Amino acid sequence: MNRPPSPQSRTLVSLAILLLSLPSLSHAKGQAEYTHGEFGKILAEAAHQAHYKKTVKLTARTGGGELEIVDHIESLESGSWRVWVSVYDYERGSTQSIYIKTLPVLVRNQGNRFEATFLTPAIPAFLFERALLNKYWREASEEYAKKRKDVRVEYGREGDQVSILTAYSYAGGVSSNDIRDRLEDMLVASSWVGRMAFAATRLESMELQKELHKAAPGHLSQDELPLVLAVGYSDFLEENPDAAEGYWVFSVDGRSLRIVNHGDRVDFVYACGFADDVSFMARAAIQLLMQEWAAKNPPKDATVAEALWSPRDNDMLWVRATYTLDGKNMKGETLRKAYAEFRDKYSAKVDEEVDKVLEKVLE
């Protein structure tokens, strides 16, 4: 049975075609300028021979085979190319499953030199400085900057990405092999330093999580709280002016829950909606009975537990447990356990109690 070629096979074929279609080069030394056609062939050669130090095996889920550094090349306006390089990392908690992104390197031949610009994967702003101090990031970035004394390498910042500018002059005369080898270095380094941006972000996120669990924070940001709670609720984040550091809305086993982060305190909330035909008197009775229950049955480590109507929805009853971050007694690990207890057990008890109260009031 005929099978379609893999992405890696298509890449190798396209590079081979590019190599064959460009004019042949002389490798003689002493050439101070290269035409765009000559440079295009050199770039294709560099892309063809660029490989990782160690073979990166792909799983069946990612297509199988080996991961190539260069995915494909786009020819832009005269003298410019966009080279798409593979940037990968292992999924958290796995040494087998990987995810891959292809990112562009913009390469320009200026006749008497080449310049290349690459932007790494984005690093979350709250982890940016930590990531750049990470051992693996430093080693990768420093190794490239020191690799060849005749290549100028400059690192910068563009938003939440690290920019890498590479420049190589042909002054004094250089061979096509000299250019090819430096282009190869640049492509390999772009892929590898980009990978270390992924890895440093993952590792520093794990390290910060450990630090926050051990500490007794007096304030938690919108980015830090999910690390403390060990949850990934980014898809459930909503705008709420009453929550300075994040407001999350989601459901667990049919129960509607909220996390409200004020920075210096965190609310875990069970929310229950009521139909319009429930009278004012009935609502008042429901809220009073649930307030009495919450006051008598606060979850462990909560500063206070109470029943109230949602600040933004009069048809929504909240049973809210508040946890104060005083910088002394409430450790991050304690808050994590308190959240798991509220989500899985306490909110289920509240749900049962609400059913009992509704049956009593509305019968």
Side-chain angles (χ1 to χ4, degrees), residues 75-340:
S75 179
L76 305 177
E77 69 276 6
S78 181
S80 296
W81 293 261
R82 188 179 288 120
V83 184
W84 292 85
V85 297
S86 302
V87 179
Y88 76 96
D89 191 28
Y90 293 102
E91 295 180 359
R92 185 168 180 172
S94 171
T95 58
Q96 299 297 324
S97 299
I98 67 174
Y99 55 89
I100 306 164
K101 287 187 70 174
T102 55
L103 298 175
V105 183
L106 182 62
V107 183
R108 295 173 294 272
N109 177 49
Q110 306 286 16
N112 62 355
R113 69 187 187 280
F114 79 73
E115 295 176 351
T117 305
F118 175 70
L119 294 177
T120 68
I123 301 172
F126 78 108
L127 290 172
F128 198 93
E129 299 300 329
R130 291 181 65 109
L132 267 59
L133 293 175
N134 179 269
K135 171 186 174 183
Y136 298 103
W137 164 269
R138 290 201 325 269
E139 288 178 351
S141 57
E142 290 171 1
E143 179 182 11
Y144 178 47
K146 295 176 180 178
K147 189 172 182 66
R148 295 187 188 271
K149 294 181 180 180
D150 56 3
V151 176
R152 178 165 60 92
V153 178
E154 295 181 359
Y155 290 92
R157 180 171 181 174
E158 295 287 339
D160 289 336
Q161 296 173 282
V162 178
S163 62
I164 307 174
L165 172 65
T166 301
Y168 176 60
S169 172
Y170 314 151
V174 298
S175 72
S176 61
N177 281 349
D178 293 330
I179 301 174
R180 181 200 64 199
D181 292 345
R182 285 151 183 79
L183 285 170
E184 179 191 1
D185 292 341
M186 179 272 299
L187 295 173
V188 173
S190 296
S191 177
W192 193 249
V193 174
R195 160 162 160 61
M196 288 303 107
F198 270 148
T201 298
R202 171 172 50 84
L203 293 171
E204 290 305 318
S205 174
M206 294 168 63
E207 188 62 29
L208 178 57
Q209 183 181 58
K210 292 177 184 177
E211 293 173 10
L212 290 171
H213 280 169
K214 292 179 181 179
H219 185 279
L220 287 173
S221 71
Q222 179 175 298
D223 297 301
E224 292 171 333
L225 183 60
L227 285 180
V228 170
L229 302 185
V231 295
Y233 285 161
S234 58
D235 291 341
F236 306 106
L237 185 64
E238 296 186 4
E239 292 289 334
N240 189 327
D242 299 325
E245 293 290 355
Y247 179 72
W248 294 264
V249 179
F250 54 98
S251 296
V252 174
D253 293 335
R255 302 187 296 276
S256 181
L257 305 181
R258 314 278 189 271
I259 299 175
V260 188
N261 185 13
H262 303 280
D264 61 350
R265 68 189 188 282
V266 180
D267 299 330
F268 301 146
V269 178
Y270 166 95
C272 179
F274 290 90
D276 293 338
D277 59 357
V278 178
S279 69
F280 173 81
M281 294 298 293
R283 293 184 186 213
I286 292 168
Q287 190 265 333
L288 178 61
L289 290 172
M290 287 307 303
Q291 171 62 26
E292 291 176 352
W293 182 89
K296 293 178 181 178
N297 300 276
K300 182 182 178 182
D301 297 312
T303 306
V304 63
E306 56 193 329
L308 68 158
W309 296 105
S310 165
R312 305 183 65 81
D313 187 349
N314 291 329
D315 291 327
M316 184 75 68
L317 180 71
W318 279 14
V319 176
R320 178 176 69 186
T322 298
Y323 300 79
T324 301
L325 306 176
D326 59 3
K328 298 178 182 179
N329 301 309
M330 179 63 69
K331 287 191 174 183
E333 178 66 13
T334 303
L335 185 62
R336 184 193 68 79
K337 292 178 179 178
Y339 168 67

Side-chain angles (χ1 to χ4, degrees), residues 253-256 270-274 286-287 289-290 293 317 319 346-363:
D253 293 335
R255 302 187 296 276
S256 181
Y270 166 95
C272 179
F274 290 90
I286 292 168
Q287 190 265 333
L289 290 172
M290 287 307 303
W293 182 89
L317 180 71
V319 176
Y346 188 79
S347 67
K349 293 179 181 178
V350 174
D351 199 51
E352 292 175 359
E353 189 64 25
V354 167
D355 286 342
K356 293 177 184 178
V357 167
L358 286 174
E359 185 177 349
K360 181 178 180 180
V361 172
L362 300 178
E363 62 182 2

Side-chain angles (χ1 to χ4, degrees), residues 3-17:
R3 296 179 181 272
S6 68
Q8 293 74 31
S9 298
R10 291 197 298 270
T11 298
L12 293 175
V13 169
S14 62
L15 290 178
I17 293 173

Side-chain angles (χ1 to χ4, degrees), residues 15-87:
L15 290 178
I17 293 173
L18 181 59
L19 284 167
L20 292 172
S21 65
L22 291 168
S24 61
L25 273 177
S26 167
H27 294 290
K29 293 182 178 295
Q31 197 167 326
E33 290 199 13
Y34 283 80
T35 67
H36 299 329
E38 291 172 330
F39 184 84
K41 180 174 177 62
I42 298 170
L43 178 60
E45 290 178 350
H48 183 70
Q49 71 180 37
H51 290 90
Y52 296 106
K53 292 179 181 178
K54 295 182 179 180
T55 300
V56 181
K57 295 288 188 181
L58 297 176
T59 62
R61 185 168 62 86
T62 50
E66 298 177 0
L67 181 63
E68 299 290 340
I69 284 181
V70 175
D71 186 79
H72 65 283
I73 299 176
E74 294 178 41
S75 179
L76 305 177
E77 69 276 6
S78 181
S80 296
W81 293 261
R82 188 179 288 120
V83 184
W84 292 85
V85 297
S86 302
V87 179

